[in-house]
Amino acid sequence: MATPLRTLDRGLNVLGYLNKVRTASAQNIAKALTLPLPTVYRIIETLAHGGFVERVNPDENVYRLTIAVRRLSGGITCESVFVSVATPVLFGCRQQLKWPSAVSTFEDGSIVVRESTDRFSSQSIGLGAVGKRIPMLSTPLGWAYLAFSRDEQRREILAHLRKSQAPEDRAARDSHHIIYMIRSVQANGYCASDEIPYKRNSSIALAVLCRGRVFGCISTVWPSSLIAEETAISRFLPVLREAKAEIEHNLETAGIDWLVAPMGIPTPIGH
């Protein structure tokens, strides 16, 4: 039996760990894999040079996998493409927005925050939201996603929520409320209201689409006691709309053919 190449084996372990946890610092990787920190830095440098790993943002040594890794398996997920494209755009808006913003996607009947600028925003409010699941019908993120989903996907999501026993999903049984909210959000092009998971804060959310399908949402959150919703909308909405347009343009020009998976979630195939 051939002897495994130790360096390659360690590099694959780092890739596997980042694939599992999504983002991690070199220190966390070293601790989790029981590797010397200098070794981890060398591996990361090599993977970054090959285009397989990148920093989450320029200000911190936290890393994640790039789209290039997903292409190794012959395909990439919409979630990874959207998060990779949207995150740097929102990080670039930090000075304009000041308050934390987030990139979120749909998963199993709820919204999941994938990335957040909270730690790096000048007005950080310590939400620590990355990875948290947020109910669809009690947050602007969920309503923004639902309103701009294709009819078939929206029906399937609502049918799933109507079967739920969770208190936060009860609104799915109120057809008049659903119709009102969907029409309101579609007419406005965004959703803004109190954030239920963080009761002292409010937020505004916009759905990001590519070829008529929702990939995820971007949002900004702020303390309700400090900024009135009307003031926040006038201040943040233009910035978020510009970010949405840039993200949608980048998705369109990503060089990927998009197919449609079950629940109307697009699945990309790389060339």
Side-chain angles (χ1 to χ4, degrees):
M1 181 176 177
T3 302
L5 294 173
R6 190 179 185 188
T7 303
L8 177 59
D9 187 53
R10 287 177 166 180
L12 292 173
N13 287 338
V14 170
L15 286 175
Y17 180 73
L18 284 174
N19 186 58
K20 178 181 178 181
V21 302
R22 299 183 183 277
T23 63
S25 65
Q27 289 80 0
N28 288 340
I29 295 171
K31 182 178 179 180
L33 301 179
T34 61
L35 293 174
L37 186 58
T39 298
V40 171
Y41 275 117
R42 286 196 299 271
I43 292 172
I44 290 174
E45 183 179 0
T46 300
L47 293 172
H49 181 73
F52 298 112
V53 169
E54 63 183 5
R55 290 191 182 193
V56 172
N57 69 84
D59 303 322
E60 191 174 67
N61 291 322
V62 177
Y63 304 89
R64 66 174 172 219
L65 301 181
T66 67
I67 293 174
V69 172
R70 306 297 195 265
R71 289 200 176 112
L72 291 176
S73 64
I76 52 178
T77 65
C78 280
E79 173 194 306
S80 64
V81 175
F82 171 63
V83 173
S84 294
V85 170
T87 299
V89 175
L90 276 193
F91 268 90
C93 297
R94 282 178 294 168
Q95 294 303 315
Q96 294 169 281
L97 292 172
K98 299 191 183 301
W99 296 101
S101 55
V103 176
S104 307
T105 61
F106 173 81
E107 181 181 286
D108 297 331
S110 61
I111 294 293
V112 180
V113 178
R114 301 300 182 183
E115 295 291 353
S116 170
T117 67
D118 185 58
R119 299 190 308 266
F120 314 102
S121 298
S122 59
Q123 303 288 353
S124 174
I125 50 182
L127 292 180
V130 174
K132 288 195 175 183
R133 306 182 70 87
I134 301 176
M136 288 291 292
L137 305 181
S138 58
T139 170
L141 284 167
W143 283 110
Y145 187 96
L146 198 63
F148 290 95
S149 297
R150 287 194 164 184
D151 292 342
E152 181 180 359
Q153 184 189 9
R154 188 186 305 120
R155 285 194 296 269
E156 293 183 6
I157 292 174
L158 289 172
H160 171 75
L161 295 177
R162 280 193 290 270
K163 297 176 183 178
S164 170
Q165 299 302 312
E168 59 267 23
D169 296 331
R170 289 174 185 166
R173 304 185 185 99
D174 186 344
S175 59
H176 294 292
H177 179 63
I178 293 292
I179 293 172
Y180 169 79
M181 286 296 296
I182 294 298
R183 289 178 177 174
S184 175
V185 175
Q186 288 176 341
N188 292 330
Y190 65 89
C191 184
S193 64
D194 289 341
E195 279 275 26
I196 300 302
Y198 314 112
K199 296 181 179 179
R200 294 185 297 274
N201 301 309
S202 296
S203 75
I204 181 172
L206 285 75
V208 176
L209 295 83
C210 180
R211 301 185 186 181
R213 295 178 174 86
V214 181
F215 274 45
C217 297
I218 57 175
S219 61
T220 292
V221 60
W222 65 91
S224 306
S225 60
L226 296 183
I227 310 176
E229 187 168 296
E230 183 177 344
T231 301
I233 291 173
S234 65
R235 184 183 304 174
F236 303 141
L237 184 57
V239 180
L240 289 175
R241 279 180 169 160
E242 286 187 13
K244 166 185 161 74
E246 182 177 349
I247 295 166
E248 290 176 343
H249 172 75
N250 292 344
L251 288 172
E252 286 283 355
T253 57
I256 298 171
D257 289 333
W258 305 100
L259 300 177
V260 179
M263 289 292 285
I265 303 172
T267 299
I269 296 180
H271 295 298

